[in-house]
Amino acid sequence: MNNEPMSIEGYDLLILEFKHLLEVEKPKVAQEKLIAAALGDRSENADYQAAKEKLRFIDKRLFFLNSMIEKSQIIDPSKLLHDKVGFGSSVTILNLQTDEEESYTICGVLESEPENGLISVHSPLAKAMMGKKVDDEFKIGLPSGEKEYEIVNIYYKNIFTLKKNIRTKSDFSFH
C-alpha cells in the first residue's frame, strides 16, 4: 500500500469532505431519488436519472476519499529541518539554461495547485528535488527536453497559507 503524505490541514479537509458527503449529500440525494421515483415512469424521469447519476458520483468520490484516508501519512512539515528538500519544503531553484529562478512547495496530491507553485510529492520535479541540499544540481527530463537546475534555497512555509483554492462545504456538493 502506497503512503500518501499530507499535512494535518490537508487530512482534516479530507475527513471533512468524506463526512459531509456521507452524512449530508448522500442522504439528501437518496431522498431526491425516492421522491422522483414516486412520480412514476423511471425511464423517462429526468429527476430520477439525475439523482441516480449524482449518487453514483458521490459513491465514486467516497470510495476515492476513503482510499486516500487509508493511505494517508500525516506529516507536520513545521517540525522538519528543511536542510534538504522534503515534504512541505519550499524550494527556490535556478534554471541553469535560462538563469531564471522558480519557486515550488512540495505537498500532498490533494493539496497540490501546480499553477500556484504547490506541487505533488509524486510529481517528476518533486521527486528529482527530494533529498537535495542548497547548491546541489539536478536534471529533469521533460517532454520539451532535459532541464538542469540548481537548488538556491530551501525553507518552510505553511502549505495552506500558499493555497489559493481551499475547498469548502459548498465545493463538496454535487449540483
Side-chain angles (χ1 to χ4, degrees), residues 132-158:
K132 302 272 189 290
K133 295 181 169 159
V134 170
D135 295 332
D136 282 356
E137 293 183 7
F138 67 93
K139 290 178 182 164
I140 179 169
L142 296 167
S144 58
E146 195 171 68
K147 288 192 177 181
E148 242 179 298
Y149 293 97
E150 182 182 314
I151 307 257
V152 177
N153 190 12
I154 307 165
Y155 56 99
Y156 169 71
K157 196 163 181 193
N158 181 292

Side-chain angles (χ1 to χ4, degrees), residues 38-174:
L39 298 175
D41 183 7
R42 292 176 185 187
S43 63
E44 293 179 16
N45 185 331
D47 289 344
Y48 178 80
Q49 295 302 329
K52 206 168 110 176
E53 190 66 14
K54 264 198 250 179
L55 275 178
R56 200 162 50 242
F57 277 122
I58 290 171
D59 284 335
K60 267 189 185 162
R61 185 72 181 162
L62 282 170
F63 182 81
F64 170 73
L65 293 173
N66 188 51
S67 74
M68 291 300 279
I69 290 165
E70 284 175 1
K71 293 188 255 183
S72 66
Q73 175 191 7
I74 298 169
I75 297 173
D76 181 351
S78 69
K79 292 190 166 55
L80 304 175
L81 289 173
H82 301 287
D83 54 339
K84 42 185 194 223
V85 180
F87 180 82
S89 292
S90 289
V91 189
T92 305
I93 57 177
L94 178 68
N95 181 323
L96 296 175
Q97 281 105 330
T98 64
D99 218 30
E100 287 174 20
E101 286 193 352
E102 303 168 21
S103 290
Y104 299 97
T105 298
I106 299 173
C107 60
V109 74
L110 293 177
E111 301 165 315
S112 72
E113 292 177 4
E115 68 282 7
N116 297 318
L118 290 159
I119 60 171
S120 160
V121 70
H122 302 304
S123 68
L125 184 58
K127 284 180 177 173
M129 292 192 289
M130 285 299 220
K132 302 272 189 290
K133 295 181 169 159
V134 170
D135 295 332
D136 282 356
E137 293 183 7
F138 67 93
K139 290 178 182 164
I140 179 169
L142 296 167
S144 58
E146 195 171 68
K147 288 192 177 181
E148 242 179 298
Y149 293 97
E150 182 182 314
I151 307 257
V152 177
N153 190 12
I154 307 165
Y155 56 99
Y156 169 71
K157 196 163 181 193
N158 181 292
I159 291 165
F160 273 70
T161 64
L162 300 166
K163 276 181 79 59
K164 307 257 190 301
N165 309 314
I166 296 176
R167 298 177 77 218
T168 62
K169 279 191 177 167
S170 63
D171 299 315
F172 303 154
S173 300
F174 286 85

